mmCIF file of all heavy atoms in Angstrom:
data_model
loop_
_atom_site.group_PDB
_atom_site.id
_atom_site.type_symbol
_atom_site.label_atom_id
_atom_site.label_comp_id
_atom_site.label_asym_id
_atom_site.label_seq_id
_atom_site.Cartn_x
_atom_site.Cartn_y
_atom_site.Cartn_z
ATOM 1 N N ILE T 57 94.705 90.127 103.646
ATOM 2 C CA ILE T 57 93.564 89.250 103.439
ATOM 3 C C ILE T 57 92.802 89.550 102.134
ATOM 4 O O ILE T 57 92.489 88.641 101.386
ATOM 5 C CB ILE T 57 92.602 89.367 104.634
ATOM 6 C CG1 ILE T 57 93.284 88.931 105.913
ATOM 7 C CG2 ILE T 57 91.347 88.575 104.382
ATOM 8 C CD1 ILE T 57 93.756 87.499 105.905
ATOM 9 N N PRO T 59 93.444 90.972 99.007
ATOM 10 C CA PRO T 59 93.881 90.481 97.683
ATOM 11 C C PRO T 59 93.813 88.966 97.540
ATOM 12 O O PRO T 59 93.462 88.453 96.511
ATOM 13 C CB PRO T 59 95.322 91.014 97.593
ATOM 14 C CG PRO T 59 95.397 92.167 98.490
ATOM 15 C CD PRO T 59 94.464 91.824 99.610
ATOM 16 N N ALA T 60 94.124 88.258 98.613
ATOM 17 C CA ALA T 60 94.048 86.804 98.573
ATOM 18 C C ALA T 60 92.611 86.323 98.459
ATOM 19 O O ALA T 60 92.314 85.400 97.694
ATOM 20 C CB ALA T 60 94.707 86.185 99.802
ATOM 21 N N ALA T 61 91.689 86.967 99.150
ATOM 22 C CA ALA T 61 90.278 86.609 99.059
ATOM 23 C C ALA T 61 89.715 86.918 97.678
ATOM 24 O O ALA T 61 88.944 86.150 97.127
ATOM 25 C CB ALA T 61 89.482 87.360 100.111
ATOM 26 N N ASN T 65 88.347 84.072 94.688
ATOM 27 C CA ASN T 65 87.039 84.120 94.022
ATOM 28 C C ASN T 65 87.151 83.905 92.523
ATOM 29 O O ASN T 65 86.187 83.423 91.902
ATOM 30 C CB ASN T 65 86.328 85.429 94.295
ATOM 31 C CG ASN T 65 85.863 85.518 95.713
ATOM 32 O OD1 ASN T 65 85.586 84.540 96.368
ATOM 33 N ND2 ASN T 65 85.720 86.749 96.226
ATOM 34 N N ILE T 66 88.253 84.294 91.925
ATOM 35 C CA ILE T 66 88.355 84.271 90.465
ATOM 36 C C ILE T 66 89.402 83.308 89.912
ATOM 37 O O ILE T 66 89.575 83.280 88.702
ATOM 38 C CB ILE T 66 88.594 85.704 89.916
ATOM 39 C CG1 ILE T 66 89.868 86.305 90.485
ATOM 40 C CG2 ILE T 66 87.385 86.591 90.211
ATOM 41 C CD1 ILE T 66 90.209 87.679 89.966
ATOM 42 N N SER T 67 90.091 82.576 90.761
ATOM 43 C CA SER T 67 91.123 81.676 90.252
ATOM 44 C C SER T 67 90.659 80.236 90.184
ATOM 45 O O SER T 67 89.661 79.839 90.808
ATOM 46 C CB SER T 67 92.365 81.739 91.145
ATOM 47 O OG SER T 67 92.052 81.272 92.435
ATOM 48 N N ASN T 68 91.395 79.450 89.413
ATOM 49 C CA ASN T 68 91.043 78.019 89.239
ATOM 50 C C ASN T 68 92.009 77.088 89.917
ATOM 51 O O ASN T 68 91.670 75.944 90.178
ATOM 52 C CB ASN T 68 91.018 77.692 87.716
ATOM 53 C CG ASN T 68 89.936 78.398 86.997
ATOM 54 O OD1 ASN T 68 88.869 78.617 87.532
ATOM 55 N ND2 ASN T 68 90.232 78.801 85.767
ATOM 56 N N MET T 73 96.023 81.656 91.764
ATOM 57 C CA MET T 73 95.596 82.439 92.890
ATOM 58 C C MET T 73 96.723 83.363 93.412
ATOM 59 O O MET T 73 96.494 84.491 93.708
ATOM 60 C CB MET T 73 95.077 81.565 94.030
ATOM 61 C CG MET T 73 94.565 82.307 95.210
ATOM 62 S SD MET T 73 93.973 81.103 96.462
ATOM 63 C CE MET T 73 93.999 82.159 97.884
ATOM 64 N N ILE T 78 98.907 88.849 93.819
ATOM 65 C CA ILE T 78 99.984 89.831 93.657
ATOM 66 C C ILE T 78 99.470 90.989 92.798
ATOM 67 O O ILE T 78 99.680 92.159 93.118
ATOM 68 C CB ILE T 78 101.233 89.207 93.051
ATOM 69 C CG1 ILE T 78 101.852 88.227 94.031
ATOM 70 C CG2 ILE T 78 102.243 90.257 92.605
ATOM 71 C CD1 ILE T 78 102.930 87.357 93.463
ATOM 72 N N ILE T 79 98.804 90.671 91.679
ATOM 73 C CA ILE T 79 98.275 91.731 90.810
ATOM 74 C C ILE T 79 97.246 92.557 91.520
ATOM 75 O O ILE T 79 97.214 93.765 91.410
ATOM 76 C CB ILE T 79 97.705 91.100 89.525
ATOM 77 C CG1 ILE T 79 98.860 90.505 88.687
ATOM 78 C CG2 ILE T 79 96.933 92.105 88.710
ATOM 79 C CD1 ILE T 79 98.405 89.622 87.536
ATOM 80 N N LEU T 89 96.718 104.984 96.090
ATOM 81 C CA LEU T 89 97.603 106.148 96.173
ATOM 82 C C LEU T 89 97.150 107.252 95.237
ATOM 83 O O LEU T 89 97.167 108.467 95.612
ATOM 84 C CB LEU T 89 99.053 105.745 95.890
ATOM 85 C CG LEU T 89 99.738 104.949 96.973
ATOM 86 C CD1 LEU T 89 101.136 104.587 96.520
ATOM 87 C CD2 LEU T 89 99.807 105.751 98.261
ATOM 88 N N SER T 91 94.007 107.758 94.217
ATOM 89 C CA SER T 91 92.773 108.319 94.765
ATOM 90 C C SER T 91 93.083 109.166 96.006
ATOM 91 O O SER T 91 92.407 110.152 96.254
ATOM 92 C CB SER T 91 91.774 107.224 95.069
ATOM 93 O OG SER T 91 92.239 106.397 96.116
ATOM 94 N N PHE T 95 91.699 112.904 95.981
ATOM 95 C CA PHE T 95 90.678 113.318 96.957
ATOM 96 C C PHE T 95 91.260 113.902 98.251
ATOM 97 O O PHE T 95 90.487 114.195 99.153
ATOM 98 C CB PHE T 95 89.755 112.124 97.307
ATOM 99 C CG PHE T 95 89.049 111.598 96.094
ATOM 100 C CD1 PHE T 95 89.211 110.282 95.708
ATOM 101 C CD2 PHE T 95 88.203 112.396 95.350
ATOM 102 C CE1 PHE T 95 88.567 109.745 94.608
ATOM 103 C CE2 PHE T 95 87.554 111.912 94.241
ATOM 104 C CZ PHE T 95 87.704 110.597 93.853
ATOM 105 N N ASN T 96 92.583 114.044 98.305
ATOM 106 C CA ASN T 96 93.263 114.614 99.474
ATOM 107 C C ASN T 96 92.847 113.905 100.778
ATOM 108 O O ASN T 96 92.440 114.513 101.730
ATOM 109 C CB ASN T 96 92.973 116.132 99.561
ATOM 110 C CG ASN T 96 93.942 116.801 100.525
ATOM 111 O OD1 ASN T 96 95.015 116.295 100.786
ATOM 112 N ND2 ASN T 96 93.526 117.954 101.031
ATOM 113 N N SER T 99 96.437 107.953 102.827
ATOM 114 C CA SER T 99 96.766 106.920 101.852
ATOM 115 C C SER T 99 96.388 105.509 102.331
ATOM 116 O O SER T 99 95.935 104.704 101.526
ATOM 117 C CB SER T 99 98.269 106.964 101.505
ATOM 118 O OG SER T 99 99.030 106.784 102.644
ATOM 119 N N GLY T 100 96.551 105.188 103.597
ATOM 120 C CA GLY T 100 96.233 103.858 104.091
ATOM 121 C C GLY T 100 94.777 103.459 103.912
ATOM 122 O O GLY T 100 94.522 102.420 103.318
ATOM 123 N N ILE T 103 93.934 102.966 100.179
ATOM 124 C CA ILE T 103 94.431 101.677 99.640
ATOM 125 C C ILE T 103 93.491 100.544 100.048
ATOM 126 O O ILE T 103 93.133 99.675 99.254
ATOM 127 C CB ILE T 103 95.865 101.409 100.084
ATOM 128 C CG1 ILE T 103 96.810 102.416 99.437
ATOM 129 C CG2 ILE T 103 96.309 99.993 99.728
ATOM 130 C CD1 ILE T 103 98.220 102.383 99.980
ATOM 131 N N ALA T 106 90.298 100.749 98.074
ATOM 132 C CA ALA T 106 90.481 100.206 96.708
ATOM 133 C C ALA T 106 90.520 98.689 96.734
ATOM 134 O O ALA T 106 89.952 98.059 95.841
ATOM 135 C CB ALA T 106 91.806 100.765 96.106
ATOM 136 N N ALA T 107 91.176 98.097 97.718
ATOM 137 C CA ALA T 107 91.189 96.635 97.853
ATOM 138 C C ALA T 107 89.796 96.084 98.107
ATOM 139 O O ALA T 107 89.420 95.041 97.536
ATOM 140 C CB ALA T 107 92.154 96.203 98.956
ATOM 141 N N PHE T 111 87.709 93.532 95.743
ATOM 142 C CA PHE T 111 87.089 92.304 96.324
ATOM 143 C C PHE T 111 85.621 92.205 95.965
ATOM 144 O O PHE T 111 85.158 91.147 95.556
ATOM 145 C CB PHE T 111 87.322 92.267 97.801
ATOM 146 C CG PHE T 111 86.581 91.099 98.485
ATOM 147 C CD1 PHE T 111 87.029 89.804 98.311
ATOM 148 C CD2 PHE T 111 85.453 91.344 99.241
ATOM 149 C CE1 PHE T 111 86.350 88.772 98.890
ATOM 150 C CE2 PHE T 111 84.782 90.304 99.820
ATOM 151 C CZ PHE T 111 85.232 89.004 99.652
ATOM 152 N N PHE T 118 80.111 86.133 86.511
ATOM 153 C CA PHE T 118 79.778 86.384 85.113
ATOM 154 C C PHE T 118 79.309 85.048 84.489
ATOM 155 O O PHE T 118 79.964 84.040 84.560
ATOM 156 C CB PHE T 118 81.016 86.863 84.383
ATOM 157 C CG PHE T 118 81.450 88.239 84.841
ATOM 158 C CD1 PHE T 118 82.573 88.382 85.648
ATOM 159 C CD2 PHE T 118 80.739 89.350 84.474
ATOM 160 C CE1 PHE T 118 82.948 89.635 86.078
ATOM 161 C CE2 PHE T 118 81.127 90.602 84.894
ATOM 162 C CZ PHE T 118 82.236 90.751 85.701
ATOM 163 N N LYS T 120 78.660 82.562 81.591
ATOM 164 C CA LYS T 120 79.181 82.257 80.240
ATOM 165 C C LYS T 120 77.988 81.764 79.429
ATOM 166 O O LYS T 120 77.391 80.770 79.753
ATOM 167 C CB LYS T 120 80.268 81.191 80.322
ATOM 168 C CG LYS T 120 81.499 81.656 81.029
ATOM 169 C CD LYS T 120 82.548 80.572 81.039
ATOM 170 C CE LYS T 120 83.766 81.030 81.792
ATOM 171 N NZ LYS T 120 84.790 79.993 81.858
#
Side-chain angles (χ1 to χ4, degrees):
I57 299 299
N65 289 334
I66 58 177
S67 64
N68 295 324
M73 182 178 161
I78 292 169
I79 292 169
L89 288 177
S91 66
F95 299 120
N96 195 22
S99 59
I103 292 170
F111 172 72
F118 293 106
K120 294 181 182 178

